[in-house]
Amino acid sequence: MAVTVSINPANPPIGVLLAVEHVRDSVAVKVQEGKNTGLKINDDVTFSTVPSICRYLARLAPGKQLYGTNSLEATEVDHWLEFSVGRLGCPADFSDAVQYLNQVLGPRTFLIGHTATLADFAVWGALRGNNVWLNMLDRGKAPPHVARWFRFLEEQAEFKAVAMTLPTKPESSKSETRKQDQGKFVELPGAEMGKVVTRFPPEASGFLHVGHAKAALLNQYYQQNFQGKLIMRFDDTNPAKESAEFEKVILEDIAMLDIKPDIFTHTSDHFDRIQGYAEQLIRAGLAYVDDTEAEVMKQEREQKVDSKNRQNSVEKNLSMWEEMKKGSEVGQKCAMRAKIDMQSANGCMRDPTIYRCKTEPHVRTGTKYKVYPTYDFACPIVDSVEGVTHALRTTEYHDRDDQFNWFIEKLALRPVHIWEYSRLNLQNTVMSKRKLTWFVDQGLVDGWDDPRFPTVRGVLRRGMTVEGLKQFIVAQGSSRAVVVMEWDKIWAFNKKVIDPIAPRYTALQKEGVVAVSLPQSKEEMKEVAKHPKNADVGQKQVWYSPRVYIDGEDAATLSEGEVVTFINWGNIIVKKINKNKAGVVVSIDAELNLENMDYKKTTKLTWLADTRQALFTPTVVTHFDHIITKGVLAKEEDFKNFIGKDTKTETVMIGDPCLAQLKKGDIIQLQRRGFYICDQPYGPPSRYTCQPTPCVLFHIPDGHQKEMPTAGSKAKSKERQQAEAGQKKKAKKPDKVEKAASKKELPSPKEEASPQYSPQDEQVLSDKVAAQGDTVRTLKGKKADKAEVDAAVKALLVLKTEYKALTGKEWKPGATKAAGPASPAADPGAVDAINAKIKAQGEKVRELKTAKAEKPQVDAEVKVLLALKADYKNLTGQDWKPGATKLAPAASTAASTAAVDAINTKIKAQGEKVRELKAAKAEKAQVDAEVKVLLSLKADYKNLTGQDWKPGATKLAPAASTAASTAAVDAINTKIKAQGEKVRELKTAKAEKPQVDAEVKVLLALKADYKNLTGQDWKPGATKLAPAASTAASTAAV
């Protein structure tokens, strides 16, 4: 017996709907709208609350285990059911309830057990129906674990199905901004919520391509946004083209795109009805049968000449129509035409053909019919009959819209709104089925799912995700602008989807790998994150050994003595590079330098350990290029003249041992190479060939014209390019360069930066740079032509290059004076002592981490290390760095009062100008230009005074007070430490929030007293006053 659940559509019980969706395949459940939510068992028993209805449905389908697997889990389910309608449903308790939920979900995927239960349904439903929660989620203010859990469930099929039936989420200001970023979606004319019906009518004569995907996804977008219906209709009006095989293929393509139509139909379902309407037009004198030859008919239509049969009598037309229906020899020469207007300026209105005679058997109706309607005639009839409210068509159908509406009007059918959007045109691509079939027949591609093809199967096989394709379509909106787009734009959207979740692995080009000897290393395995920024992706095993391999191209860029970084290991010192007679690197001797944790300017290299405990995975990576070499083909150009050659390149690699675990369709990133999709998983050695099946990876474009670097590093490549450019510029100094070359070494940067220039020369060139910068900003503010702006920018870059060639340094706003005197000298003996302590403490921390000591123990030693570094900074005025034993010179301090007041006035005026522009909602480019001027002035202020500019800052801050006694500083420092410990103890004991807040306020007050006393912010380990910052600029002088 079926169970009927009544729901109030104004306030749908989401938890109940989720339960219904999960038991639907086990229990006959019917959902109907009503005034109140309830589940009536009999006249005496009716359940009316979410918890009670959910419990009953779960017990009807015990095999689903929605109520847990044992009594303990069932009790937990009861707790969460009550929580969903209790604390979570109470506005006063909502905030605390969400925080409690966040704590519980920290280590969990589901609230109970390893699958979704009634607990998840009820709590998720309570949040989904809560506007406060939805706004928190949109603004990014939701607790992280709850947000993760909520979004994870939101992507599950059953939750998606329920979400589609719910009212749309409230739009926050952020979500409105996001909608603007998505692209412009027009409001459909005459659309009513819940009543919109769209349709996707492909012809079953080939595979779907990305253009079809846009049409399907766009129709689904409107159907979902208006909570309407989507009809999937096969246009099978041409028996010579359709096949059952292609119908099956298209349905599979639709499933791949995650499109779920509400109704499936065929135009052939309506053949009898369409024939009836055709005969109605004949009898009304609005159609006639014409036996004119096709070529003559075409010429007559172009010349606006009436056909000889246009004035046939109704009887003659019906007689000829019968011959057509029989498929006789006479009938096969005829076609039925609508009698519209042969003098129309619109060629589509010049008596178009609406029926033709075809004797081929139809894939569904066999030989029942000998006449078939044209798409243009069948479409308006079927759209109207099937209840379509809005027909979305590409702009290429624009001229046929009048014809569409003429049929609707003359046949007295229900009107259908037509809305146009632009066809998807892509560079280096052909979309025609005829042309794509030619590629397949010629063997130029591997089939319809070839990754170089624009078919849905092709792009998905190459690594396009459905979500990436959807985001691209949404960003396009329903624009009518016809453009030819680059593939890079689609792939860039795809990268946004895969980058945050693609695990990172390593592969090296097998040919030319170079062995690196690291004798100090031991063979071991460690677990590291698959993704550096997303712990949810999981962990992977990384093996270390005394012998590792790197890419030969990487090895060729290294030099002896260089410090390089091995990713997921640490810094390595290159000791010796061994080359063969041809100068090719064959091996490298190196040593670990793990205590050096400065990775900022080192070359980053990928590597693989040579160990028998984890063998390399045989891997082949495949890169593809466009099969059409020309971006945009003209109509008269033959695509066969622009066929690309060598568009598929395979490279044999040695892969990370973890690659053996990949499954078909897994998307990964090979570090420093790019994104890839697994097309063929690794297979162990065959019993027949004794050879393994390699893991085959297809490269996924990421929207960049240039591929990721595979040799050296971006920083190193940039330095090399700069060095080459520098050598070209210094060609005027042959003596110096030749002398350096004779010694087989380049001059140092200090030697290259010639100091032979006067301050006046520097000031003049700096003023030119500043003036040209103002010119560029002015042009951008006026929205000048791009060519004019580009020319000005080039001139600016030339001036900056001249400045660097003159001074040996980059030009910066206001940077026209040399640095001033150094800060008061710190005792070198004290600096050396604290430097030694930092090194010793750092070594201690590394040893603890290597020994995998307890986290509290490691944290305690790290705190000591940080305190020592703070003492070092207080003593020297600099951050501690490895090998740092000297003080850097202090910044310039000779700032005059007049100069400070002048630039302060300019900053205030410019700030006011920016505020006025923003208030007036000026163009973004104009606002940005003025903001840049403001930032430049603030930079000048900092260069002049040594301080950041702040509102009201008209004087230079006096040097930090030295009159504060050591005893007073020590006393307040002791109080701060004690109060900080008290706060930590309260938090550890999970004390009441008001109590913790009160103690935090006391702590902040003590820190404020410390700053008033010393002129510095309090930091752990800060027991001494730091040297004054700008002692040469006294308050009186300012």
Side-chain angles (χ1 to χ4, degrees), residues 377-439:
F377 181 55
C379 188
I381 295 173
V382 180
D383 279 350
S384 182
V385 170
E386 289 187 344
V388 173
T389 60
H390 294 80
L392 275 62
R393 291 150 59 107
T394 55
T395 51
E396 63 187 322
Y397 282 92
H398 178 74
D399 288 345
R400 304 187 193 181
D401 289 350
D402 291 341
Q403 185 188 110
F404 184 103
N405 291 322
W406 187 88
F407 289 128
I408 291 285
E409 177 188 349
K410 300 303 179 183
L411 295 173
L413 296 170
R414 179 187 58 81
V416 177
H417 292 288
I418 296 176
W419 193 256
E420 298 176 339
Y421 63 93
S422 64
R423 176 181 176 178
L424 180 59
N425 299 302
L426 293 162
Q427 290 187 5
N428 303 97
T429 304
V430 290
M431 296 281 201
S432 162
K433 291 176 186 176
R434 176 181 59 83
K435 295 175 182 177
L436 295 176
T437 301
W438 181 85
F439 275 100

Side-chain angles (χ1 to χ4, degrees), residues 920-988:
K921 296 185 177 179
E923 295 292 331
K924 186 175 184 297
Q926 186 180 0
V927 176
D928 288 347
E930 298 301 335
V931 168
K932 286 182 181 177
V933 174
L934 179 61
L935 294 175
S936 175
L937 289 169
K938 288 185 177 181
D940 292 345
Y941 181 91
K942 187 171 183 178
N943 289 332
L944 189 64
T945 65
Q947 307 170 34
D948 288 322
W949 185 87
K950 295 180 180 179
T954 57
K955 298 182 179 181
L956 296 179
S961 173
T962 54
S965 68
T966 306
V969 174
D970 288 344
I972 199 165
N973 187 54
T974 302
K975 289 182 180 179
I976 290 173
K977 289 182 177 179
Q979 186 64 20
E981 187 63 32
K982 186 174 182 180
V983 170
R984 281 189 291 275
E985 289 174 356
L986 288 171
K987 289 184 176 180
T988 302

Side-chain angles (χ1 to χ4, degrees), residues 752-959:
E752 289 186 323
S754 173
Q756 304 302 320
Y757 65 92
S758 68
Q760 291 80 6
D761 293 337
E762 179 185 2
Q763 184 65 52
V764 169
L765 191 52
S766 179
D767 290 343
K768 288 182 179 179
V769 174
Q772 186 65 22
D774 291 338
T775 300
V776 171
R777 283 189 288 274
T778 302
L779 289 171
K780 289 184 176 180
K782 293 179 178 179
K783 292 187 176 181
D785 289 338
K786 187 174 184 297
E788 187 178 358
V789 175
D790 288 347
V793 169
K794 285 182 181 178
L796 177 62
L797 293 175
V798 169
L799 288 170
K800 286 185 176 181
T801 302
E802 291 177 2
Y803 182 90
K804 186 174 181 180
L806 179 70
T807 65
K809 58 187 179 183
E810 299 285 352
W811 183 87
K812 294 182 180 180
T816 57
K817 297 183 180 181
S823 61
D827 180 10
V831 174
D832 290 341
I834 199 166
N835 188 51
K837 289 182 181 180
I838 290 173
K839 289 183 177 180
Q841 186 64 20
E843 187 62 33
K844 186 175 182 180
V845 169
R846 281 188 289 276
E847 290 174 356
L848 287 171
K849 289 184 175 180
T850 303
K852 296 185 178 179
E854 295 293 327
K855 191 173 183 297
Q857 184 181 1
V858 176
D859 290 346
E861 297 302 333
V862 169
K863 286 182 179 178
V864 174
L865 178 61
L866 294 175
L868 288 169
K869 288 184 177 181
D871 291 344
Y872 180 91
K873 186 171 184 178
N874 288 333
L875 185 64
T876 66
Q878 307 170 35
D879 288 321
W880 184 87
K881 295 181 180 179
T885 58
K886 296 182 180 181
L887 298 179
S892 173
T893 56
S896 70
T897 308
V900 174
D901 287 345
I903 201 165
N904 185 57
T905 301
K906 290 181 180 179
I907 290 172
K908 289 182 177 180
Q910 186 66 19
E912 187 62 31
K913 186 175 183 180
V914 170
R915 281 189 291 275
E916 290 175 356
L917 286 172
K918 289 184 176 179
K921 296 185 177 179
E923 295 292 331
K924 186 175 184 297
Q926 186 180 0
V927 176
D928 288 347
E930 298 301 335
V931 168
K932 286 182 181 177
V933 174
L934 179 61
L935 294 175
S936 175
L937 289 169
K938 288 185 177 181
D940 292 345
Y941 181 91
K942 187 171 183 178
N943 289 332
L944 189 64
T945 65
Q947 307 170 34
D948 288 322
W949 185 87
K950 295 180 180 179
T954 57
K955 298 182 179 181
L956 296 179

Side-chain angles (χ1 to χ4, degrees), residues 98-99 102 133 135-147:
V98 172
Q99 291 300 329
N102 192 58
W133 165 256
N135 285 328
M136 288 172 64
L137 203 62
D138 278 341
R139 296 197 308 271
K141 302 294 185 181
H145 299 306
V146 186

